[in-house]
Amino acid sequence: MSAQASVTATARLHLGFLDMNGGLGRKFGGLGLSLDSPATRLTLTRAPANRVEGPESERAARLLEKAQAALTPDARHSLVVHEAIPAHSGFGSGTQLALAVAAALRRLEDLPHDPAADAAMTSRGARSGLGAGLFATGGVVVDGGRGPQTKTPPVIARAEFPEDWRVLLVSDPTAVGLHGSDEREAFATLPPLSEAASGELCRLVLMQALPALAERELAPFGAAVTRIQEIVGDYFAPAQGGRRYTSAKVEQLVAGLLAEGATGVGQTSWGPTGFAFVESEAAARRLVERFAAAARAQELALTIHSGLNRGARIEAVYARIA
């Protein structure tokens, strides 16, 4: 029996929804990428009573209780969150924390690993299956949206992210993406996306982004992501002050990166984090050096990241038998 379980789950980029129309019986769907950082790291052990400490401890405590009620009703645990993905920044922090807590509990108690079921159990698959899919496999995934009987939207495609490519993130610590009741209201009040726009989004993913990944061609991949972000950004603009981006400062710097050779630009989820893709570490460093002063002047963080082609790391320490 394991004595301790540890999980490391990393941030994801939400590169865009595919269908906010629903005319074919399924809605949303999406394209997403696992990043090497930031990450949520936690450790779970058995204890006489529940105890949770570290960043996001209140949320983690609620998630632990929900997972225990479903999986191990009679067990109690000590949970230490060593670090957490920043909340409400477009990285899927809530989903990764929920899945990490549930995965640690399953590993500690020798239960089968099941991210899709855990997403449904913790109410983290209401619109997107990207979080569960990327937690399981990493890389670039496409989820198939929600149908009438869907619990967690299924992953319908996965691709490796080229190891040489880099992702530039532009973060605004003064802004917060929509979440909670504001997010639910936005989805409830926005009209259906047109069939033509939904069709273009799906075609961009199937016939441009995924083939470009398979052939390791950054230019067509970036062009597809940029166009997806334009369509999705315009759709969500009424909920973001009339802009494609939550943060005007992020939007301005991302535009500068695009003008200087980056591609595949946009905002992950509700932001405020923006992103751009480049072909190499050298290209990423060149752009960071070029825009470092502008980022500092706007109190923005400009950082370099890699894609992650594996799922969450789940490890156990086993007690020795005397």
Side-chain angles (χ1 to χ4, degrees), residues 49-268:
N50 278 359
R51 183 183 65 182
V52 181
E53 57 183 279
E56 294 286 345
S57 57
E58 291 186 9
R59 175 187 272 186
R62 294 193 297 270
L63 291 167
L64 177 60
E65 291 175 359
K66 182 175 286 190
Q68 287 170 330
L71 301 173
T72 59
D74 298 325
R76 295 295 176 263
H77 301 86
S78 173
L79 174 63
V80 178
V81 182
H82 306 288
E83 65 176 308
I85 298 167
H88 313 313
S89 297
F91 292 134
S93 61
T95 297
Q96 296 308 302
L97 179 61
L99 296 178
V101 169
L105 182 60
R106 286 179 178 272
R107 190 70 181 88
L108 187 69
E109 302 295 348
D110 293 323
L111 299 172
H113 183 55
D114 195 340
D118 291 340
M121 173 184 68
T122 56
S123 305
R124 301 307 307 182
R127 277 174 291 275
S128 176
L130 295 178
L134 292 169
F135 185 90
T137 69
V140 180
V141 303
V142 180
D143 86 73
R146 294 197 64 84
Q149 307 302 321
T150 300
K151 293 182 178 179
T152 300
V155 170
I156 57 173
R158 182 193 178 276
E160 293 277 298
F161 187 78
E163 292 183 2
D164 293 340
W165 296 2
R166 293 293 182 267
V167 184
L168 294 171
L169 296 184
V170 183
S171 304
D172 183 354
T174 68
V176 176
L178 281 184
H179 61 279
S181 60
D182 291 336
E183 180 184 24
R184 291 190 292 271
E185 182 179 355
F187 277 109
T189 57
L190 287 168
L193 186 67
S194 70
E195 287 189 11
S198 296
E200 184 179 356
L201 288 168
C202 294
R203 187 164 175 245
L204 285 164
V205 170
L206 182 61
M207 297 306 295
Q208 189 167 354
L210 292 180
L213 284 170
E215 296 181 342
R216 302 174 64 87
E217 292 185 311
L218 178 61
F221 173 78
V225 171
T226 297
R227 180 58 184 150
I228 290 167
Q229 284 285 313
E230 289 172 350
I231 297 170
V232 174
D234 287 342
Y235 176 74
F236 287 115
Q240 298 182 143
R243 299 186 304 269
R244 287 177 177 170
Y245 291 68
T246 293
S247 168
K249 295 189 296 183
V250 168
E251 184 172 15
Q252 182 178 15
L253 188 58
V254 167
L257 294 171
L258 181 63
E260 290 293 323
T263 188
V265 300
Q267 171 181 282
T268 175

Side-chain angles (χ1 to χ4, degrees), residues 1-8 41-47 51 76-80 82 100-101 103-110 313-320:
M1 179 176 289
S2 55
Q4 173 182 300
S6 298
V7 178
T8 300
R41 293 189 306 112
L42 55 83
T43 300
L44 188 71
T45 56
R46 295 181 185 83
R51 183 183 65 182
R76 295 295 176 263
H77 301 86
S78 173
L79 174 63
V80 178
H82 306 288
V101 169
L105 182 60
R106 286 179 178 272
R107 190 70 181 88
L108 187 69
E109 302 295 348
D110 293 323
R313 190 182 299 279
I314 305 168
E315 300 172 314
V317 174
Y318 287 86
R320 292 184 177 180

Side-chain angles (χ1 to χ4, degrees), residues 296-319:
R296 285 195 300 271
Q298 294 293 325
E299 298 181 307
L300 300 174
L302 178 59
T303 53
I304 301 172
H305 301 260
S306 300
L308 188 67
N309 287 315
R310 60 166 176 78
R313 190 182 299 279
I314 305 168
E315 300 172 314
V317 174
Y318 287 86

